[in-house]
Amino acid sequence: MKATAKAHTNIALIKYWGKRDESLILPMNNSLSLTLDVFYTTTTVTFREELFQDEFLLNEQVIRGEQYNRVAAFLDFIRRETQATSLHAEVRSTNHVPTAAGFASSASGFAALAAATTRALDLSISDQELSRLTRLGSGSACRSIFGGFVEWHKGTEKDGSDSYAVQVQPAEDWDVRVAAVVLSETTKKISSREGMKRTVDTSVFYPGWLKSIPRDLEQIKDGINQRDFEKVGSISEANCLRMHATTLGANPPFTYWHDATLRVMQGVQAMRERGISVFFTIDAGPNVKVLYLPEDETIVQETLRQIPGVHDVIVSRSGQGVTYL
């Protein structure tokens, strides 16, 4: 039993930040993302009779520790949930994403793992059900099952049965570009999971963040439907800033930003003052993603590359959902 799947990362425009259930990875709020074509993970899952435990290789390296434990726990969940096999699996992943630096490598990783595992077991499930299963590995990964603009419904059921992602608009319907501005490829000091929990438990700003989400979602989906880039970009940027503000209200306070993060943000704002339609968003890491339209690609790239502290600028288009190889 063997299958290979490819899944892309996504960038949240309306952020997922905080869980109402840690074990089931149920979010406190709906979120909305754009799948990116340039960052992806390819994973092959092979169930073998001779294995006494699961094996995990990432970029040809045998993985142990926390990364291995998360993969093995997810495979255990799939085996229990589906009862399709009791065999252990060899998992081989190739990750084309900087790991743990704010580029959502876990999103593409677990989406590819879930897709390859269910295909190897020959399970007949919908993309919606695949998204629900994927959520148990990594919350943001449930959005990577789909391409284009995607919304993750937080759900209301305690068992998480109604918490999954749905596609808002296919990738091919609107050519929105994203420049991933690489400032640091080092591992974050505070993981997304740790940062979320500290924020939910202690941040005095967190209740205000939650109250802002429904209006942000309504307006950004209207902007997407109307192809109103100014509206989509401005809401994304404001939502990002509010999310990161919650970390400053936590106890103890923390931030994912570096000095260069601020310089890129200021550079984007300066481009807008020159009449260029460009906006930024930042996940749980220092690196910045810059949204723009195709006609501004040259000037956006040139400007970003001149900012001190920028190591690279990687251009992405709207990406597709999970594919099988």
Side-chain angles (χ1 to χ4, degrees):
M1 297 184 289
K2 178 179 179 180
T4 301
K6 178 181 179 181
H8 297 265
T9 66
N10 64 78
I11 177 66
L13 306 182
I14 303 299
K15 302 299 185 187
Y16 150 51
W17 196 241
K19 302 181 183 74
R20 63 182 173 92
D21 187 300
E22 292 280 340
S23 61
L24 294 177
I25 311 186
L26 298 176
M28 294 286 285
N29 61 275
N30 285 27
S31 57
L32 186 142
S33 64
L34 178 63
T35 303
L36 305 177
D37 72 342
V38 73
F39 298 125
Y40 62 92
T41 302
T42 302
T43 297
T44 299
V45 174
T46 309
F47 288 92
R48 300 185 186 278
E49 292 184 358
E50 65 269 24
L51 292 179
F52 295 99
Q53 65 178 20
D54 296 316
E55 297 180 355
F56 178 36
L57 288 86
L58 176 62
N59 298 333
E60 302 299 326
Q61 299 295 316
V62 175
I63 301 300
R64 301 291 185 217
E66 179 60 25
Q67 273 188 299
Y68 170 83
N69 293 339
R70 287 184 68 187
V71 168
F74 184 68
L75 290 170
D76 283 341
F77 171 78
I78 296 292
R79 282 185 284 251
R80 289 195 308 270
E81 182 85 356
T82 66
Q83 298 183 338
T85 187
S86 60
L87 297 179
H88 289 100
E90 176 192 73
V91 178
R92 289 181 172 269
S93 289
T94 302
N95 204 20
H96 299 270
V97 192
T99 302
F103 280 108
S105 58
S106 64
S108 60
F110 275 96
L113 175 62
T117 301
T118 54
R119 179 61 65 93
L121 296 175
D122 199 27
L123 299 177
S124 179
I125 61 174
S126 66
D127 284 344
Q128 178 178 299
E129 177 63 10
L130 178 60
S131 175
R132 187 188 71 80
L133 289 174
T134 303
R135 190 197 76 236
L136 273 297
S138 167
S140 59
C142 78
R143 298 187 305 241
S144 284
I145 300 302
F146 301 95
F149 291 96
V150 180
E151 182 177 4
W152 175 13
H153 293 288
K154 66 177 182 179
T156 57
E157 298 296 334
K158 289 185 177 180
D159 64 0
S161 57
D162 59 347
S163 181
Y164 47 77
V166 297
Q167 188 176 65
V168 173
Q169 185 184 93
E172 58 272 15
D173 281 14
W174 193 14
D175 188 7
V176 173
R177 305 286 172 90
V178 177
V181 184
V182 182
L183 308 175
S184 172
E185 294 190 36
T186 59
T187 301
K188 297 177 292 190
K189 293 181 179 179
I190 300 175
S191 70
S192 298
R193 290 192 173 197
E194 180 186 348
M196 283 186 189
K197 182 167 176 53
R198 187 189 302 182
T199 301
V200 172
D201 291 346
T202 69
S203 177
V204 295
F205 301 147
Y206 193 72
W209 152 259
L210 287 180
K211 289 179 181 178
S212 73
I213 298 298
R215 181 171 174 81
D216 280 353
L217 274 167
E218 179 184 359
Q219 291 194 338
I220 200 169
K221 285 191 287 188
D222 181 68
I224 292 167
N225 290 332
Q226 300 296 324
R227 310 291 194 276
D228 186 339
F229 182 72
E230 292 284 331
K231 188 171 188 177
V232 170
S234 61
I235 294 168
S236 300
E237 188 171 298
N239 183 268
C240 158
L241 291 172
R242 282 195 290 269
M243 185 276 271
H244 282 273
T246 66
T247 71
L248 299 177
N251 185 22
F254 66 100
T255 182
Y256 291 105
W257 297 352
H258 295 175
D259 291 348
T261 307
L262 291 168
R263 287 195 290 269
V264 174
M265 294 161 62
Q266 291 165 349
V268 169
Q269 293 166 341
M271 280 191 276
R272 279 209 302 272
E273 292 174 359
R274 292 158 51 194
I276 302 168
S277 187
V278 59
F279 301 88
F280 65 77
T281 187
I282 310 164
D283 275 344
N287 302 299
V288 184
K289 289 79 176 180
V290 177
L291 283 72
Y292 61 94
L293 293 174
E295 56 265 29
D296 294 318
E297 185 156 282
T298 299
I299 186 63
V300 168
Q301 280 201 70
E302 290 177 351
T303 303
L304 293 173
R305 290 184 184 279
Q306 293 173 4
I307 297 173
V310 172
H311 297 309
D312 199 4
V313 177
I314 306 171
V315 172
S316 180
R317 300 187 182 195
S318 182
Q320 299 293 330
V322 163
T323 55
Y324 298 91
L325 308 178

